Amino acid sequence: MDNNSLTALFGDDSTAQKSGYVIRAVEVCKVFALGEHETHALRGATLDVRRGEYISIMGPSGSGKTTLFNMIGGLNKPTSGKVYIDQVDIAQLDPYELAWLRCRKVGYVFQSFNLIQVMSCIENVMLPMAFAGLSSEDAHDKARDILALVGLGDRALHKPAEMSGGQQQRVAIARALANSPDIILADEPTGNLDLKTGEEIIELFARLRDQLGVTIITATHDLKMLKRSDRIVWIEDGRITRVTTPDEMKIKIEEIH
Amino acid sequence: METILSQVKLPLKRSLQIAVQGIRIRLGRSLVTISGVALGIAFLMSNVSAQFIKAAIGKERELRQTVKLMETVVRSEVGDFAGKSLSVAVFGTLSGAERSLLERLAAAQLAALKLYGLNVPGAAPAALKGIGQDSHALLVLGNARKCPVALEHLADGLKQKVVIDSLSNRVFPAFVRQGRATALDPGSAAEDQVRREVFFSKATDEQIAKLSHAAEQDRFRTIWIVVISILVTVIGVSNALLMSVTERFREIGTMKCLGALSSFIRRLFLIESALIGFCGSVLGILAGGLLPVIVFGISFDFRSVLLQMNFGLLLASAAGTLVAGTLFAIGAAIYPANIAAGMVPASALRSNI
Ligand SMILES: Nc1ncnc2c1ncn2[C@@H]1O[C@H](COP(=O)(O)OP(=O)(O)OP(=O)(O)O)[C@@H](O)[C@H]1O
Ligand SMILES: [Mg+2]
């Protein structure tokens, strides 16, 4: 897919080169209370993301990556702290604005995909477009193009259960791209992909970032992905312990091994 | 700086489209839910329908008994039917029992059956004048309040001396003397009196009290059965819809994460439930309404049951059940739909139901 077609699909976002922070998380804490027991998933995470940045988040299992994604994507409310998207405190948004944000502004790739099992691949991709008010004909055409973009053009009518993990993951990615979001939050988007397909997805993200100024935040352990990102954010036990560049990261990895 | 806009509210038509698509793509599951609703409604409807059929059968039994008694009276007055001829004059319209009596008389081995004022299969209508000529008995039937012609004229030329007059509720065995009408001699024999009362369904006070007590009990039983079936139906329908909503919490969470408004989720489930409730009710009403008719029809008698059925009321109660079934379905979905709509997207995603 060449540069022009990508622009055709997602529109030429004139805000792409705008400066400023697209996401700011300030001292975000999240406590899950399960009866007597409390889990501190986030203990004051602060993170600023510039527009068009490609950020990778690394951290051990249970360190709070998914929770952080949910906070900055407006899927859950922090126990304390603030999240700003485009300088707007999302705690101040009404349900309609929040829904708009989830629908248009942010594209999510969930760790467990969360595809709707009864729907075919293309119906899954069309769903966010329906919520955005697109007619089903327009949505159908656009969804087919996006599926082709992630290499699933010939699988449009299959159900998630009939697909491999990697294929499901790509459907999830296609769905995240459905409404041409400004921000993509991808929770381990290449976890189930083979080397080649994984690279294609990484390449796609990089292109979206480079050409359209889409801000990309991924939780990942994929070295290739880490290498492509602008910054790597380390999270441990609910705290952001370090923010590095891929170059510094190399040293770190070599230290470990 | 960019601003965050408000999400568009999808028009009702689009929601309806999405709801129908939802039902279609999970057709198997939808059919199970629909059958759940249909089962509940069929239970309710079969009980309602059975009540109607029981009433119809009761009425039919009563009618048959009345007709039998009427025929007994006629036979006892006229004697053996063979070679006898009967005349019938009808004023006003016939009751069901009188009509059946005439059908039986027409089928009996009578030499002649002369009829005035009515079309009965197998008997040609006769002129009113001289209708009693050469007959062994004259029956005056119908619901007119008074015989518009003097009985003497009708009874002119009667061979035997019997006029059975349902207009004045009397049997006049000695009505005709020596070939011409004379003064009446009503109800002389005591045993005739009883027969006449039964013939004309004149129940005693005691009988009426007994009957109304039985009717009261019957009505109570009917109400009880209907109330129980409504309860069973409500629980069955609620269960079917509760399941169909709760098993999709995860899916709802996903939709909310993708920008669905809470109001859309709520509407989606209410529309879907209404559609499922409607389809299930239609199926349930058809199944529950027809099954008892078939069962009773085979075990009793199709034609007479159908004739005696109060179809207007049955249709009305079917319509009522349809509305009620749809409303139950919507009502049952309100609570889970509200929960689903109000869920925090991230937590809904974790739902494992
Ligand atoms: N809804 C919840 N209820 C209770 N505890 C939760 C909930 N969500 C997350 N947690 C807890 O918060 C902590 C962080 O979870 P989170 O899912 O953010 O980890 P993660 O970094 O994404 O891990 P992984 O790499 O395994 O996906 C965990 O200890 C988890 O048990
Ligand atoms: Mg996670």
Side-chain angles (χ1 to χ4, degrees):
Chain A
M1 182 149 291
D2 59 47
N3 297 351
N4 287 340
S5 58
L6 205 64
T7 312
L9 204 52
F10 294 100
D12 198 355
D13 196 341
S14 54
T15 63
Q17 307 310 322
K18 258 199 262 173
S19 58
Y21 294 119
V22 65
I23 293 172
R24 293 188 65 207
V26 183
E27 286 293 316
V28 173
C29 295
K30 182 68 186 179
V31 183
F32 291 106
L34 296 170
E36 300 280 288
H37 187 71
E38 283 191 346
T39 309
H40 292 259
L42 289 175
R43 304 168 191 263
T46 299
L47 177 69
D48 295 333
V49 182
R50 261 177 247 107
R51 197 173 301 280
E53 237 186 332
Y54 191 157
I55 296 217
S56 291
I57 296 181
M58 269 189 87
S61 178
S63 55
K65 300 183 294 293
T66 301
T67 309
L68 181 64
F69 273 47
N70 288 342
M71 297 301 137
I72 58 186
L75 302 185
N76 211 340
K77 286 195 173 71
T79 310
S80 69
K82 294 219 174 296
V83 175
Y84 300 88
I85 292 182
D86 282 334
Q87 273 94 57
V88 178
D89 178 3
I90 63 169
Q92 306 296 323
L93 298 179
D94 68 22
Y96 291 88
E97 291 166 330
L98 259 181
W100 186 89
L101 177 96
R102 291 171 191 149
C103 186
R104 309 276 201 133
K105 192 85 185 170
V106 183
Y108 305 90
V109 182
F110 299 101
Q111 193 170 13
S112 46
F113 315 146
N114 287 319
L115 297 174
I116 294 181
Q117 296 297 321
V118 290
M119 290 187 183
S120 69
C121 210
I122 193 157
E123 285 167 336
N124 266 288
V125 180
M126 283 163 67
L127 196 62
M129 301 182 192
F131 298 146
L134 225 63
S135 77
S136 44
E137 293 80 32
D138 294 348
H140 191 272
D141 293 345
K142 194 174 174 193
R144 229 189 17 228
D145 293 346
I146 297 178
L147 280 175
L149 200 66
V150 295
L152 286 174
D154 52 339
R155 296 264 169 175
L157 297 178
H158 287 248
K159 296 256 168 72
E162 299 157 6
M163 307 182 94
S164 73
Q167 287 167 332
Q168 290 183 41
Q169 193 150 37
R170 281 182 282 159
V171 178
I173 292 167
R175 187 180 63 185
L177 302 178
N179 286 323
S180 323
D182 288 350
I183 305 161
I184 289 175
L185 294 176
D187 205 346
E188 303 255 14
T190 54
N192 291 289
L193 301 182
D194 61 279
L195 230 57
K196 185 174 159 292
T197 327
E199 261 175 65
E200 278 169 18
I201 293 301
I202 294 166
E203 198 52 42
L204 175 65
F205 281 171
R207 282 210 327 264
L208 287 169
R209 193 268 310 261
D210 294 341
Q211 291 162 27
L212 307 172
V214 177
T215 308
I216 293 173
I217 306 176
T218 61
T220 192
H221 296 281
D222 188 334
L223 268 178
K224 288 203 179 60
M225 196 157 233
L226 292 172
K227 252 193 274 172
R228 291 299 289 263
S229 51
D230 298 322
R231 285 192 290 162
I232 298 161
V233 175
W234 297 74
I235 182 166
E236 261 168 70
D237 196 21
R239 287 190 189 85
I240 291 173
T241 51
R242 186 203 314 249
V243 180
T244 58
T245 62
D247 298 337
E248 297 166 358
M249 160 80 194
K250 238 184 213 157
I251 304 158
K252 172 87 181 161
I253 297 261
E254 275 154 15
E255 271 172 17
I256 291 169
H257 290 285
Chain B
M1 192 185 86
E2 257 186 61
T3 49
I4 288 163
L5 305 176
S6 275
Q7 179 72 308
V8 288
K9 234 178 161 163
L10 292 179
L12 189 64
K13 198 177 147 232
R14 192 81 176 92
S15 312
L16 194 70
Q17 227 178 344
I18 294 174
V20 170
Q21 187 204 10
I23 292 178
R24 190 176 50 73
I25 56 179
R26 67 192 97 234
L27 193 64
R29 189 63 185 85
S30 307
L31 285 180
V32 171
T33 313
I34 288 177
S35 349
V37 174
L39 215 64
I41 294 294
F43 179 68
L44 174 60
M45 194 58 205
S46 65
N47 278 332
V48 170
S49 167
Q51 295 303 319
F52 277 104
I53 289 169
K54 264 194 213 148
I57 286 178
K59 251 166 60 190
E60 176 66 19
R61 281 222 173 95
E62 208 173 283
L63 181 117
R64 285 183 187 186
Q65 211 158 3
T66 311
V67 173
K68 217 167 167 185
L69 280 164
M70 287 170 130
E71 199 185 331
T72 313
V73 171
V74 176
R75 276 183 195 277
S76 73
E77 299 294 348
V78 176
D80 187 15
F81 274 173
K84 300 275 169 65
S85 51
L86 281 180
S87 296
V88 182
V90 178
F91 301 106
T93 51
L94 288 170
S95 71
E98 286 171 332
R99 188 179 295 275
S100 295
L101 176 68
L102 285 189
E103 280 170 15
R104 288 183 74 110
L105 291 180
Q109 299 288 317
L110 283 164
L113 180 65
K114 279 191 277 180
L115 283 167
Y116 165 74
L118 179 87
N119 286 320
V120 166
L128 178 59
K129 202 166 181 306
I131 194 168
Q133 198 72 48
D134 297 329
S135 285
H136 293 87
L138 171 69
L139 270 69
V140 182
L141 304 175
N143 70 346
R145 306 194 63 185
K146 198 167 156 283
C147 183
V149 186
L151 282 179
E152 289 86 341
H153 293 311
L154 294 180
D156 221 16
L158 269 182
K159 277 186 183 162
Q160 226 168 301
K161 305 162 182 180
V162 183
V163 171
I164 298 169
D165 175 10
S166 84
L167 302 185
S168 57
N169 284 359
R170 279 167 170 181
V171 177
F172 302 118
F175 177 62
V176 180
R177 290 209 173 96
Q178 290 144 12
R180 65 180 192 88
T182 58
L184 306 180
D185 179 17
S188 48
E191 86 241 35
D192 282 350
Q193 190 62 40
V194 177
R195 228 173 28 215
R196 276 164 220 148
E197 276 173 0
V198 177
F199 189 143
F200 300 111
S201 327
K202 272 192 172 170
T204 60
D205 285 352
E206 199 183 328
Q207 277 173 317
I208 288 170
K210 219 172 168 179
L211 278 173
S212 70
H213 182 66
E216 188 71 20
Q217 272 187 329
D218 218 44
R219 180 144 18 96
F220 183 72
R221 206 178 303 131
T222 307
I223 291 172
W224 176 243
I225 286 175
V226 169
V227 165
I228 289 289
S229 359
I230 287 177
L231 274 180
V232 171
T233 306
V234 167
I235 290 168
V237 171
S238 308
N239 180 52
L241 284 154
L242 207 70
M243 284 307 297
S244 91
V245 178
T246 47
E247 72 186 5
R248 280 154 69 190
F249 274 167
R250 223 184 130 90
E251 194 181 310
I252 295 159
T254 307
M255 294 210 272
K256 291 195 79 171
C257 289
L258 299 176
L261 289 166
S262 303
S263 61
F264 169 79
I265 303 277
R266 195 175 296 119
R267 197 154 73 177
L268 188 68
F269 279 101
L270 294 185
I271 291 175
E272 197 181 302
S273 305
L275 289 176
I276 284 181
F278 183 83
C279 295
S281 299
V282 169
L283 288 181
I285 286 167
L286 285 180
L290 287 181
L291 199 71
V293 172
I294 292 168
V295 168
F296 280 102
I298 287 170
S299 65
F300 197 74
D301 168 24
F302 250 125
R303 199 178 75 94
S304 42
V305 168
L306 289 181
L307 272 178
Q308 290 292 336
M309 285 267 273
N310 190 339
F311 276 104
L313 212 60
L314 185 63
L315 278 183
S317 52
T321 310
L322 181 62
V323 172
T326 312
L327 289 181
F328 290 160
I330 296 174
I334 286 177
Y335 176 66
N338 271 340
I339 291 185
M343 277 194 299
V344 177
S347 10
L349 282 183
R350 297 175 70 93
S351 168
N352 276 323
I353 302 172

